[in-house]
Amino acid sequence: MESVLRNPMRGIALKVSSVVVFLAMQTFIKLAGSEIPPGQVTFCRSFFALFPIMAYLGYRHQLRSAFYTANPVGHLKRGTLGIISMGLGFYGLLHLPLPEAIALGYATPLVAVIFAAVFLGETVRVYRWSAVCFGIIGVAIISWPKLTLFREGGMAAEQAVGALCVLLSAVLGGMAMIQVRRLVEEEKTATIVLYFSITASVFSLVTVPFGWLLLGWSSALFLIAAGFCGGVAQILLTESYRHADVSTIAPFEYSSILLGGIVAYFVFDDVPSNTMLFGTVIVVAAGIFIIYREHQLGLERREARKAGTPQSS
């Protein structure tokens, strides 16, 4: 195991930087155009992300070892869930206002708590169950105005489908998070990141027969930039965990809704509704409470291990 110099402020700075670059990725995807098929967007996001990721692993002298895996089936499962989740999420991103797409994506950690209890047998007590239920109410408040637009047709119906796709993406994203938790027990982080990008790139090619577009220069450049941003953001996120605990930096993920609102206003002329803002406050509050409870439980488990460790005389 490599030694890590703990520096919480550096970890927070890297986390916020990853949020900014992920937001740039989402902005480039929206600028590329809503008519581009999600499979084509997913390929560009995954394939061009490989360049900064492999350069980073080469710089850390981890590239050769990152290709070694003892669980290829596990990576295949994670890749399958992740690629479908990503494609659905990109469809929603292309057809929804940016802040709403971001806010609905916050449902993923809520779903992950449910799946952790069901599939991993984790003990989830009343506090976290209450937070999950509270958060789901917030998600319903955000999504309901969009989901009622199905019958109107046209762009309104596309937004309804987009909202539904983001919700389905959150469910599959939660399942992918559970698979990642299983993988980290025996696989290096570098291996998980590398194989997901490779798997997503290959799997997204299956959508070529369904009609990829011949892109103009601007759309192509936007998608290439989105891919590079996705890879760089993943690197920044990975580095942030080297310097601070997850519970310390995870709440800064929610800065994306503020930054996304600013970008949406100045770039896309989108103004969030009061309903969307109210629902977002509920979802963010639930997410932060879950992070807080995870931190408290982690402290309790460490104290229990200390108490159960025999002391040398």
Side-chain angles (χ1 to χ4, degrees):
M1 295 292 289
E2 60 183 327
S3 61
V4 177
L5 179 62
R6 308 300 285 179
N7 187 333
M9 291 306 298
R10 180 177 294 179
I12 291 170
L14 288 166
K15 172 64 176 180
V16 174
S17 298
S18 77
V19 169
V20 171
V21 181
F22 270 128
L23 179 60
M25 178 199 78
Q26 293 172 308
T27 303
F28 285 137
I29 288 173
K30 284 189 71 68
L31 288 171
S34 60
E35 73 282 357
I36 302 175
Q40 190 171 1
V41 176
T42 302
F43 172 79
C44 292
R45 157 64 179 89
S46 304
F47 178 74
F48 291 105
L50 282 169
F51 292 92
I53 288 173
M54 294 180 74
Y56 166 75
L57 294 177
Y59 170 76
R60 295 189 59 85
H61 305 290
Q62 295 178 344
L63 184 56
R64 181 177 297 180
S65 62
F67 277 100
Y68 174 76
T69 175
N71 189 359
V73 175
H75 288 288
L76 184 62
K77 291 179 181 177
R78 187 267 190 271
T80 302
L81 292 168
I83 187 67
I84 299 174
S85 174
M86 189 184 292
L88 290 169
F90 286 156
Y91 183 90
L93 176 64
L94 291 169
H95 292 89
L96 286 175
L98 182 60
E100 293 188 19
I102 292 173
L104 288 174
Y106 291 157
T108 298
L110 303 177
V111 174
V113 172
I114 298 173
F115 288 156
V118 174
F119 297 113
L120 299 182
E122 290 188 6
T123 301
V124 179
R125 297 186 175 89
V126 65
Y127 293 108
R128 279 192 291 169
W129 279 126
S130 299
V132 168
C133 293
F134 192 61
I136 289 174
I137 291 172
V139 171
I141 291 172
I142 298 169
S143 59
W144 185 250
K146 297 299 182 185
L147 295 177
T148 58
L149 298 176
F150 271 109
R151 66 187 67 180
E152 295 190 15
M155 292 182 62
E158 287 183 353
Q159 289 198 4
V161 174
L164 183 60
C165 284
V166 175
L167 293 176
L168 290 174
S169 172
V171 172
L172 292 172
M175 296 177 69
M177 288 176 68
I178 298 304
Q179 185 60 32
V180 170
R181 288 193 192 182
R182 289 172 172 161
L183 283 171
V184 295
E185 295 177 359
E186 56 185 10
E187 298 282 282
K188 296 186 292 292
T189 301
T191 303
I192 296 172
V193 172
L194 181 61
Y195 271 97
F196 174 67
S197 293
I198 293 173
T199 303
S201 299
V202 174
F203 279 18
S204 56
L205 290 173
V206 176
T207 65
V208 171
F210 295 96
W212 282 21
L213 300 180
L214 182 62
L215 301 178
W217 281 107
S218 61
S219 294
L221 288 175
F222 280 137
L223 289 184
I224 293 171
F228 271 87
C229 284
V232 171
Q234 188 64 58
I235 292 167
L236 292 169
L237 182 63
T238 301
E239 283 294 319
S240 71
Y241 292 127
R242 297 181 186 276
H243 299 282
D245 294 332
V246 174
S247 58
T248 300
I249 62 177
F252 290 90
E253 174 69 30
Y254 296 108
S255 63
S256 62
I257 193 64
L258 174 61
L259 299 173
I262 294 172
V263 171
Y265 179 78
F266 286 103
V267 178
F268 303 107
D269 294 324
D270 288 333
V271 179
S273 65
N274 292 333
T275 302
M276 179 264 170
L277 292 174
F278 179 60
T280 301
V281 169
I282 294 176
V283 175
V284 170
I288 291 176
F289 183 78
I290 288 173
I291 293 167
Y292 168 76
R293 284 297 299 168
E294 292 279 3
H295 177 63
Q296 292 297 109
L297 291 172
L299 291 177
E300 292 175 9
R301 285 191 287 267
R302 283 196 289 270
E303 289 299 321
R305 284 196 293 269
K306 288 180 181 178
T309 302
Q311 301 295 318
S312 58
S313 56

